Amino acid sequence: MKTNTKQDIILFEEMASNAHVALNIMQYDGWILKFSEGHTNRANSVSMIYPSTISVNEKIKNCENIYSEQNLPCVFKLTDGDEQMMKLLIERGYMLIQKVVVNPDYRRKGYGKLLCKALMSKGKSDGAKTAWLQVVQTNEGAYKLYDGLGFKKVYTYRYLKKEL
């Protein structure tokens, strides 16, 4: 089953939300705000699932205020097709580091660290205040690299696949 339509994403996001229920949930003009005292991003984040009527910039600001009142960072969960939202969040100081790959012949020579520091420096100069990343669970070298840069593992996730 190929899943790449907005309807497919909505369906899977709804199922994921029901499978990993937050302690508190708030519906906000098509967005779902989840709160669980800071335990995992998945249960403490904003999911932008449905269409909305309020301006996006106003909603982002309101979400930041709502999470601040809970003493939580405001985390947005982005899915495929959220490129415009990613641009808006980056403009507001959010940063995502992904797909950092060093050629196997050049690993363990400090290039990954230099690359990540350059990315974070650029993000900071562009106004980013927060950075997050994802790492394949079996990539021990990446865990060591990111730990040395001050990142901490917050949660893990798995994929379940039904063979055709």
Side-chain angles (χ1 to χ4, degrees), residues 99-116 139 145-146:
K99 300 179 185 173
V100 175
V101 179
V102 175
N103 182 307
D105 295 337
Y106 297 96
R107 290 183 184 159
R108 305 193 58 76
K109 297 180 180 180
Y111 295 117
K113 187 173 188 174
L114 287 171
L115 180 60
C116 288
N139 193 340
L145 167 66
Y146 298 133

Side-chain angles (χ1 to χ4, degrees), residues 61-102:
K61 183 177 179 181
N62 287 339
C63 289
E64 290 171 341
N65 290 335
I66 291 167
Y67 277 85
S68 178
E69 290 170 3
Q70 299 283 327
N71 293 317
L72 293 170
C74 189
V75 176
F76 290 88
K77 180 179 182 184
L78 302 177
T79 60
D80 291 343
D82 286 336
E83 287 78 16
Q84 184 62 31
M85 177 59 73
M86 185 178 296
K87 289 177 186 176
L88 289 172
L89 291 171
I90 289 169
E91 289 172 5
R92 291 188 64 86
Y94 294 81
M95 179 181 179
L96 167 64
I97 299 172
Q98 63 181 4
K99 300 179 185 173
V100 175
V101 179
V102 175

Side-chain angles (χ1 to χ4, degrees), residues 97 112-113 116-117 120 131-136 139-154:
I97 299 172
K113 187 173 188 174
C116 288
K117 283 186 170 187
M120 290 187 298
W132 74 97
L133 51 82
Q134 295 178 332
V135 180
V136 174
N139 193 340
E140 293 178 21
Y143 275 107
K144 290 177 185 174
L145 167 66
Y146 298 133
D147 185 61
L149 291 168
F151 288 93
K152 299 297 175 209
K153 182 170 147 181
V154 176

